[in-house]
Amino acid sequence: MTVRVACAQINPVVGAVPANRDRILEYLARARDAGADLVLFPELAIAGYPPEDLLLKPHFVDLCERALADIAAEARGIVAVVGTPILDQDVYNAAAVCADGEVGLVYKKVHLPNYGVFDERRYFHAGESADVITLRGEGFGLTICEDIWVTDGPYVDAAVTGRASAILNISASPFHARKTEQRERMLRQRAVDNGVFVVFCNLVGGQDELVFDGVSCVIDVEGNVVARAAAFEEHLLVTDLDLERASHGRLRDPRHRDASPARRAHAAPVRTTPVPVVGSRPAPPVAPVVEAIPDTTDLLLRALTTGVGDYVRKNGFTSALIGISGGVDSALVAAIACRALGTEHVWGVFMPSRFSSDDSREDSEQLAATLGFRLSTVPIEDAFHAFGDVLRPVMENRPPNTTEENIQARIRGVILMALSNQFGHLVLATGNKSEMSVGYATLYGDMCGAFAPIKDVAKTRVYDLCRRFNGQAGSEVIPARILTKAPTAELRENQKDSDSLPEYAVLDEILEMYVEEELSLGQMVERGVDRETASWVIRQVGRSEYKRRQAAPGVKITPLAFGKDRRLPITEGFGRFEAGERDGGE
């Protein structure tokens, strides 16, 4: 029996329930026009993901349920599986099966993730049973995101006890580097292990620090990807499934027969619900679409572009304002912003001081010319003098130090915010993860901004992304000198980042071990890292937590990003102990 399935990979807005409903109805109609028997929408598609404390408002959940009723009324001639919150004494993360003009079944997510960026046990009660719907005589097991990541999830009960030939999974699976291929490998394994098709429909788009890559897919019983949607784009993926392959395959595979009696003895309850038979499919069969998965660097660029574009637009802005220094970080942020918003919606501001080099001015102007964004020059020398005059009587004639350096950065922050207030542009901060990790950033200065696109991008990776951007453009839109000159904040004479920091290649290696892999000082030394350098990095990471807590949100692209992923107290003594300082530690 062949069933035509569609995955509606859409980009909802958290809390914009009427707009999300309309988007779902648009894709519902498109799927029906394509002859689909069944269409999937992502996890919590009606609410947007993650809705966080909106779920604690009963009137918000009620609004979602009213939107679901509107969607169900239009589900005629097609079956729709829609992600939504449901209030049933408590709030559940649910997949509502809509058919014949009504909600016929509500599956409640069983496994609620509560790690990393996930906090679902704060909001949802867990479901307890597996659900299988039957359509055209074939069974489809229902799962939501984490349900299929768990090795013994409800999909096993659906396949073994409920005799499902396909497992449907609606997801809001956030992106990070290497996640896309890792997730697909897991889905392929689930298909092979259970002798079923797997139909995976993922969210796409940016939501605050999270970005969702989409890449919805359909996998056959041998673990082959037979359909795949594009990365970081809305997509209606339509596929014909020959579900007899699953049932016939199980008959020939003794693993499933041997496992069934033991599994049935302790399986969770499985509800099997028939849904109305819909109209016949048009001929000829649909041509399968299998989009390629881009490599990691390309995925990262797409993630950053999506995150910036959605943050700006979903928050009601149309344009971005960026402090342009002539350095690599602001160059990458400008390039991403131009790609996300269009060059006509990007305004760069070069703010030279006495320490700014001619190279920096030339590189800023060339960057603006090659990318095509507007660049204004606002010197800060007079403002710097004015601050010196104001502060001199209370500075007690102390020699210049980082105080004067930070004043320059803060003057630039004031200028950017003034222009933002006057013209309504959203300010993008330009700091990278390496600098933010060790506090090489000025509060209320270069940290100023509403969104920090590259705050989870290590400095060495910044260069990789710039080179890839140039390669995609086919020319040096980011000037070559920006990528070859020594990094410098230009806040004092002849300053270089290496005066204050280890070389970035060394720093980034240590930060990956300490922040992302969470290794101890001793474990890093065993890997060949210099003890004194690693100890310094550990101390600086701990001392800079108060700065990061005040930093703008930015796109998460690593498995462990600062923010929702890594939640450490500001005031704590363990960091000093880790760094080898034993005062009070023993």
Side-chain angles (χ1 to χ4, degrees):
M1 175 62 67
T2 300
V3 175
R4 182 165 292 182
V5 176
C7 294
Q9 180 175 292
I10 62 172
N11 183 358
V13 178
V14 167
V17 175
N20 296 341
R21 174 202 60 201
D22 293 346
R23 196 70 168 158
I24 291 169
L25 289 174
E26 175 192 341
Y27 273 77
L28 177 66
R30 287 178 55 186
R32 183 167 44 219
D33 290 345
D37 300 306
L38 175 69
V39 58
L40 308 186
F41 292 90
E43 178 180 14
L44 294 179
I46 291 177
Y49 190 94
E52 297 183 320
D53 281 11
L54 291 176
L55 292 164
L56 304 180
K57 301 177 183 290
H59 50 289
F60 174 74
V61 179
D62 178 67
L63 182 63
C64 292
E65 292 186 343
R66 284 187 275 128
L68 175 62
D70 294 340
I71 294 164
E74 296 298 320
R76 297 183 183 276
I78 190 170
V79 178
V81 179
V82 185
T84 186
I86 291 288
L87 181 61
D88 182 7
Q89 296 184 321
D90 205 339
V91 179
Y92 291 86
N93 185 341
V97 180
C98 304
D100 203 24
E102 62 183 19
V103 178
L105 168 71
V106 172
Y107 167 75
K108 298 169 181 175
K109 186 175 183 178
V110 174
H111 294 282
L112 303 177
N114 221 65
Y115 56 86
V117 300
F118 303 108
D119 203 12
E120 291 197 21
R121 292 179 194 167
R122 175 181 172 91
Y123 305 109
F124 298 116
H125 193 80
E128 297 177 350
S129 64
D131 274 299
V132 174
I133 60 172
T134 58
L135 175 66
R136 297 187 181 279
E138 296 290 347
F140 296 80
L142 299 174
T143 60
I144 302 175
C145 204
E146 189 78 2
D147 288 336
I148 205 166
W149 286 85
V150 177
T151 55
D152 198 31
Y155 61 90
V156 180
D157 297 316
V160 174
T161 307
R163 290 300 185 190
S165 298
I167 300 300
L168 310 178
N169 184 264
I170 63 171
S171 278
S173 179
F175 169 83
H176 63 68
R178 300 182 296 277
K179 173 76 169 289
T180 307
E181 293 183 337
Q182 172 196 7
R183 183 180 58 222
E184 194 169 278
R185 283 196 300 272
M186 178 273 296
L187 295 171
R188 292 171 63 186
Q189 194 65 51
R190 298 290 182 264
V192 171
D193 287 348
N194 294 276
V196 293
F197 283 83
V198 170
V199 183
F200 168 75
C201 181
N202 194 25
L203 197 70
V204 69
Q207 171 59 32
D208 295 345
E209 293 179 304
L210 301 181
V211 65
F212 302 88
D213 55 330
V215 197
S216 303
C217 61
V218 179
I219 298 168
D220 69 15
V221 295
E222 285 90 27
N224 302 307
V225 177
V226 296
R228 185 191 294 127
F232 296 105
E233 297 176 15
E234 289 193 317
H235 194 141
L236 183 68
L237 185 69
V238 182
T239 316
D240 288 334
L241 304 184
D242 179 8
L243 295 176
E244 291 181 353
R245 289 177 58 194
S247 55
H248 290 172
R250 273 201 296 262
L251 292 176
R252 294 190 296 269
D253 190 341
R255 293 179 305 162
H256 307 295
R257 186 178 300 112
D258 294 342
S260 295
R263 181 71 194 183
R264 288 194 181 100
H266 66 274
V270 179
R271 297 184 301 176
T272 300
T273 305
V275 296
V277 177
V278 296
S280 60
R281 281 188 305 104
V286 68
V289 173
V290 184
E291 296 282 352
I293 298 178
D295 67 18
T296 297
T297 304
D298 192 6
L299 281 171
L300 293 178
L301 269 179
R302 295 189 192 198
L304 296 169
T305 303
T306 298
V308 169
D310 276 357
Y311 191 88
V312 172
R313 286 187 286 264
K314 289 181 178 181
N315 282 290
F317 291 83
T318 59
S319 53
L321 185 68
I322 306 167
I324 303 296
S325 67
V328 67
D329 296 324
S330 63
L332 178 59
V333 171
I336 290 167
C338 287
R339 180 172 287 183
L341 305 172
T343 57
E344 70 276 17
H345 298 296
V346 177
W347 184 9
V349 185
F350 178 61
M351 295 167 282
S353 73
R354 70 186 72 174
F355 303 117
S356 300
S357 67
D358 291 339
D359 287 357
S360 294
R361 180 188 299 273
E362 293 168 5
D363 292 341
S364 297
E365 291 173 349
Q366 185 179 352
L367 178 74
T370 53
L371 284 174
F373 65 86
R374 173 188 178 188
L375 181 69
S376 298
T377 298
V378 181
I380 67 168
E381 192 65 26
D382 289 347
F384 186 46
H385 277 299
F387 270 96
D389 293 341
V390 168
L391 291 170
R392 191 170 296 110
V394 292
M395 285 292 195
E396 301 177 352
N397 295 318
R398 296 192 177 192
N401 56 20
T402 55
T403 301
E404 285 72 19
E405 296 180 27
N406 289 336
I407 286 172
Q408 296 169 68
R410 289 173 178 139
I411 290 169
R412 291 176 173 132
V414 168
I415 291 171
L416 290 173
M417 290 311 303
L419 294 174
S420 173
N421 291 158
Q422 185 67 33
F423 297 103
H425 307 300
L426 186 140
V427 177
L428 298 180
T430 60
N432 62 63
K433 187 172 189 175
S434 306
E435 296 168 348
M436 295 297 296
S437 295
V438 295
Y440 195 64
T442 303
L443 270 176
Y444 326 120
D446 56 303
M447 290 176 64
C448 172
F451 196 64
I454 62 171
K455 70 175 291 187
D456 197 31
V457 183
K459 185 76 169 189
T460 48
R461 182 164 267 168
V462 168
Y463 287 97
D464 293 338
L465 292 173
C466 286
R467 295 185 187 99
R468 176 58 60 87
F469 196 96
N470 281 350
Q472 292 175 350
S475 63
E476 291 182 348
V477 289
I478 298 174
R481 187 164 61 186
I482 288 179
L483 303 180
T484 57
K485 64 186 178 184
T488 171
E490 292 192 324
L491 297 174
R492 64 174 183 265
E493 201 70 45
N494 298 319
Q495 184 182 27
K496 299 289 185 292
D497 289 4
S498 56
D499 298 337
S500 305
L501 304 175
E503 293 294 334
Y504 279 114
V506 174
L507 176 60
D508 288 350
E509 180 186 23
I510 295 172
L511 288 172
E512 183 170 356
M513 291 181 190
Y514 180 61
V515 175
E516 296 180 30
E517 298 183 46
E518 299 190 287
L519 300 185
S520 68
L521 175 61
Q523 288 171 318
M524 289 189 283
V525 172
E526 287 177 1
R527 289 196 185 183
V529 173
D530 176 71
R531 177 179 290 274
E532 183 177 349
T533 305
S535 178
W536 180 88
V537 171
I538 290 172
R539 287 195 300 272
Q540 293 305 116
V541 170
R543 290 171 179 172
S544 303
E545 183 63 34
Y546 80 99
K547 287 188 178 182
R548 291 190 295 272
R549 196 68 66 90
Q550 299 178 67
V555 183
K556 167 184 162 63
I557 64 160
T558 65
L560 191 63
F562 291 116
K564 286 186 176 184
D565 264 343
R566 188 179 187 272
R567 310 178 199 181
L568 292 182
I570 295 173
T571 306
E572 56 90 16
F574 184 69
R576 293 193 299 274
F577 179 85
E578 277 195 297
E581 298 178 14
R582 299 304 189 215
D583 51 324
E586 293 181 336

